[in-house]
């Protein structure tokens, strides 16, 4: 198991990163991007159709690795006040 139940891609959307948690159910988060005119719009989806509030919803240029980590670490689930801290080892 690992990502089989992620939502389908919409339109020109592409996956720019994937996080696979080392858990019994091997939960997966897909970080996606698509062009909207002059902007690049981002979303994060999971297999449970969770609502995620992103730290950054769009940019005019592709994200650097540091910006991508900031997008992931600064995002929150609606039902969870805790931010995701999967990639940040500074703590």
């Amino acid at each position: 198991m690992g990502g089989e139940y992620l939502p389908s891609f919409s339109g020109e959307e592409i996956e720019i990163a994937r996080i696979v948690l080392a858990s019994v159910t091997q939960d997966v988060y897909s970080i996606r991007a698509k062009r909207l005119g002059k902007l690049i719009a981002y979303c994060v989806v999971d297999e449970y159709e969770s609502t995620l509030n992103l730290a950054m919803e769009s940019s005019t240029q592709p994200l650097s690795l540091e910006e991508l980590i900031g997008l992931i670490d600064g995002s929150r689930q609606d039902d969870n006040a805790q931010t995701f801290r999967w990639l940040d080892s500074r703590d």
Side-chain angles (χ1 to χ4, degrees):
M1 300 282 289
E4 290 86 356
Y5 302 106
L6 286 170
S8 298
F9 291 94
S10 64
E12 303 279 322
E13 190 174 57
I14 61 165
E15 185 174 74
I16 58 173
R18 179 177 280 209
I19 298 169
V20 180
L21 302 182
S23 63
V24 174
T25 55
Q26 196 167 3
D27 294 334
V28 176
Y29 291 86
S30 174
I31 296 91
R32 299 175 178 187
K34 70 177 177 181
R35 270 278 175 211
L36 289 177
K38 293 183 179 184
L39 294 176
I40 302 169
Y42 304 102
C43 69
V44 178
V45 297
D46 67 7
E47 299 168 297
Y48 305 104
E49 298 181 23
S50 301
T51 301
L52 298 161
N53 298 313
L54 301 184
M56 176 190 310
E57 294 184 3
S58 64
S59 65
T60 57
Q61 297 292 318
L63 298 176
S64 67
L65 179 58
E66 183 177 357
E67 290 168 330
L68 177 60
I69 291 169
L71 179 133
I72 294 166
D73 279 349
S75 297
R76 299 176 183 267
Q77 270 186 303
D78 266 357
D79 59 354
N80 184 353
Q82 213 171 18
T83 57
F84 300 114
R85 302 295 290 187
W86 299 313
L87 301 178
D88 193 346
S89 61
R90 293 175 286 179
D91 292 341

